[in-house]
Amino acid sequence: MGRIIAISNQKGGVGKTTTAISLSGCFSKLNYSVLLVDMDPQGNASRGMGLDPTSIRKNIFDVLAQNLDVNKIIKRTQIKGVDVLPSNLKLATLESVTNNVEKPFNLLKEALNQLNKSYDFIIIDCPPSLGLLNLNSLCAADSVIIPVQCEYYAMEAVAQILSSISKIQKEYNHDLEILGFLLTMYDSRIKLATEVTTEIRGLFREKTFVTQIPRNISLAEAAFYGKPINIFRPKATGSLAYISLAKEILNNE
């Protein structure tokens, strides 16, 4: 089925969706096939790949809540080698409609086990929460990347997600590993960014990616135009950083 990587941090605005979209595009550029799973009801990962979640009749909610065939929900994108399992606001109601399900935390894992097509990577864009959607994502994943924005309160967010991951490893997914902490929105001109970087690397040296993602306007523009950064602006610093990250992940396999 391929390697399943969740991009998770319960704190919003740290670069989860940007990382999910950009990594998917960069793996594709390196000739790997990718399924991008949008587990955020906002549907931004779907939009970032050029899809309009509001115009898609059936999405991942229907797979998880109504047991629809996941293979019929997957959408092709304009990027060769990248497919998307889209979402929209309906996904936010999943918890309320699965009260009677015996193991609601395994819904996504069971759905991915039904895939007919083989992918090299399955990238899951997690929502900014620690609820059922995030739990499903981490139960289905082999590993997790934790984006950490170089700003105030970064360490508080790290402590919370580590606590959540530890619980999931003990109770639900014993094989889940932390692939690495990813420092995002880094600006060397800002003293706090350097301090946060130093602190994270000091605490999690072996689990922090060498690659840092810079603060780069092209990343926001790429999302607006519905394209991964490596397609939208290949030579932008953000594009070069995510290509570097993709290669770092491949080299660590």
Side-chain angles (χ1 to χ4, degrees):
M1 183 167 58
R3 188 170 182 178
I4 306 176
I5 303 174
I7 315 295
S8 182
N9 189 327
Q10 79 288 344
K11 190 175 186 300
V14 299
K16 288 188 300 295
T17 300
T18 298
T19 297
I21 295 168
S22 301
L23 261 186
S24 296
C26 289
F27 279 138
S28 173
K29 180 179 176 62
L30 297 171
N31 297 316
Y32 292 90
S33 60
V34 182
L35 175 64
L36 175 57
V37 180
D38 193 347
M39 282 293 282
D40 188 340
Q42 297 176 89
N44 289 333
S46 302
R47 288 189 182 88
M49 278 295 177
L51 302 177
D52 179 6
T54 62
S55 67
I56 297 174
R57 291 185 59 194
K58 302 293 183 181
N59 59 55
I60 194 169
F61 170 83
D62 301 285
V63 174
L64 303 180
Q66 301 178 15
N67 203 30
L68 262 65
D69 184 352
V70 65
N71 298 287
K72 295 180 179 179
I73 305 301
I74 292 172
K75 303 296 180 184
R76 284 189 171 187
T77 71
Q78 58 190 328
I79 312 303
K80 183 180 178 181
V82 181
D83 294 340
V84 173
L85 192 50
S87 76
N88 65 18
L89 288 174
K90 283 198 302 183
L91 188 58
T93 67
L94 182 66
E95 195 159 357
S96 65
V97 299
T98 56
N99 289 329
N100 297 322
V101 176
E102 185 177 351
K103 294 182 178 179
F105 52 85
N106 266 341
L107 292 172
L108 180 59
K109 181 178 181 179
E110 292 169 356
L112 295 180
N113 284 335
Q114 303 303 313
L115 288 172
N116 291 334
K117 182 177 178 180
S118 179
Y119 295 93
D120 296 311
F121 288 95
I122 298 175
I123 307 294
I124 306 174
D125 182 33
C126 301
S129 70
L130 293 176
L132 182 62
L133 297 177
N134 197 67
L135 179 58
N136 261 269
S137 302
L138 294 178
C139 284
D142 303 314
S143 56
V144 54
I145 292 174
I146 304 171
V148 181
Q149 185 179 356
C150 300
E151 62 158 21
Y152 285 114
Y153 308 123
M155 293 308 299
E156 291 182 18
V158 167
Q160 289 179 335
I161 190 64
L162 283 178
S163 176
S164 178
I165 289 172
S166 178
K167 181 178 179 180
I168 289 169
Q169 288 170 325
K170 291 176 182 177
E171 299 181 12
Y172 304 104
N173 184 357
H174 305 301
D175 298 323
L176 179 66
E177 67 164 332
I178 296 175
L179 190 56
F181 293 88
L182 176 65
L183 295 161
T184 63
M185 304 181 195
Y186 177 74
D187 187 338
S188 60
R189 298 170 299 178
I190 300 175
K191 182 180 178 181
L192 177 62
T194 302
E195 291 174 351
V196 170
T197 298
T198 300
E199 188 170 8
I200 292 291
R201 292 197 182 283
L203 289 171
F204 310 107
R205 183 176 296 108
E206 294 180 358
K207 284 294 184 180
T208 304
F209 289 107
V210 174
T211 303
Q212 297 177 169
I213 308 301
R215 189 175 291 278
N216 180 218
I217 188 63
S218 293
L219 289 168
E221 291 174 343
F224 178 80
Y225 286 102
K227 296 179 181 180
I229 183 65
N230 65 293
I231 300 295
F232 175 70
R233 197 161 288 161
K235 295 183 179 180
T237 56
S239 178
L240 298 176
Y242 274 111
I243 281 288
S244 174
L245 175 64
K247 291 179 178 178
E248 188 174 348
I249 292 170
L250 292 169
N251 289 336
N252 289 336
E253 285 193 312

